[in-house]
Amino acid sequence: MSRCISVIVSVYNEENALERFYETTNRILKETAAAYTQGPCGYQLLFVNDGSTDRSAEILDKLREADPDHVSVIRFSRNFGHEAAMTAGLDYACGDWLIFMDADLQHPPAMIPAIMDRFAEGYNIINMVRTRNETAGTLKNITSGLYYRLINRISDVKMEPAASDFFAMDRAAAEVLRHNYREKVRFLRGFVQNIGFRKTTLSYEAAARVAGQSHYSFKKLWKLSMDSIICFSNMPLKLGIYAGFLSGLLGVLLIVYTLFTREGAPSGYATIVIALCFMFAVLFMLLGIMGGYIAILFREMQDRPIYIIEDIRDEAGTGSKEAG
Ligand code: UDP
Ligand code: MG
């Protein structure tokens, strides 16, 4: 059976970029698929139309009619967001290698041959790292740097700084993500970095958008950052415990201070201060304890895999357990 490269493209109101994207990517894919070092293979361009309200649907239909062997289109009933679009692409792509790209040519298709070379070297996951983002202003670059530093500090996974939604995985990694990490609050580029396997990075220069405008407003980026931090870290839930310890400690100091300086103060003053300090410390600690339980509930609900097996070497067939 011949093997296949799937390029997954999320599309939301990209009428002015789609044709150029198709031309460039199709040309490069054709060459790459023919010249792939491990033997020629087929390719698929899987567009996920995320409820576009412009002419994108029409253009995609035209592309598919003109090249039905290579172009597939999934159309959402409404806009569900970029993460949902990438997830649908992941689920429906039929390739042995999946490459996720934006439709605006910010992710250079010229990198596809280099990605395939990495697969040929035996890597399962290739994270594309931006060296420069021409369209993002200094503010966006600084906040993105801060965000990655924060998430790496407070969560268990190590995220590649400057990682993007441009990444590639082989079938083994895709199968894991098709069955696990099916949370509703999603951060696919984080999941990709979380599942193990042989990973490598390639750097690329993010080009300027060919047409149209970014759909990620500051508000949307803020939501994505908050969601991903909460997705990957229990730390915010545990703030209560730390606040409890801190207010307990400050309370003790304040109690000592009040006891020494209560001469001349109105009667009952020391009692009020002590009672307040005590109550706040207890309250924060209780919040922290509840946070701890919620964190466990949250992890259970996310239902992430306890382990991920890459392969089992068991020629004797002694272990027959279904693994997952
Ligand atoms: N996109 C999408 N659904 C959305 C918003 C964006 O599928 O709700 C697509 C969009 O068409 C593009 C990609 O996701 O192909 C990245 O979006 P954009 O270029 O606006 O983000 P930026 O590159 O500025 O971060
Ligand atoms: Mg873009």
Side-chain angles (χ1 to χ4, degrees), residues 14 102 104 106-107 209 214:
E14 301 282 8
D102 288 359
D104 54 11
Q106 283 198 287
H107 300 158
R209 230 176 193 285
S214 169

Side-chain angles (χ1 to χ4, degrees), residues 10 21 96 121 123-124 147 179 196 208 228 262 290 304:
S10 327
F21 176 88
D96 299 276
E121 286 164 19
Y123 289 105
N124 305 92
Y147 162 78
H179 298 110
S228 59
R262 77 193 147 147
M290 281 163 69
R304 290 186 183 174

Side-chain angles (χ1 to χ4, degrees), residues 9-14 48 50 79-83 85 101-104 106-107 135 140 165 209 213-216 220-221:
V9 194
S10 327
V11 178
Y12 179 56
N13 294 349
E14 301 282 8
V48 184
D50 181 15
N79 178 250
F80 283 90
H82 188 194
E83 289 287 330
M101 296 177 80
D102 288 359
D104 54 11
Q106 283 198 287
H107 300 158
T135 42
K140 198 164 168 185
D165 287 320
R209 230 176 193 285
Q213 280 183 347
S214 169
H215 303 98
Y216 276 96
K220 270 197 186 169
L221 273 179

Side-chain angles (χ1 to χ4, degrees), residues 182-201:
R182 304 302 296 187
E183 306 150 31
K184 302 287 180 291
V185 178
R186 302 188 62 76
F187 191 53
L188 192 56
R189 81 173 85 146
F191 303 156
V192 170
Q193 306 207 20
N194 205 9
I195 58 173
F197 291 97
R198 262 155 296 172
K199 288 186 288 191
T200 185
T201 54

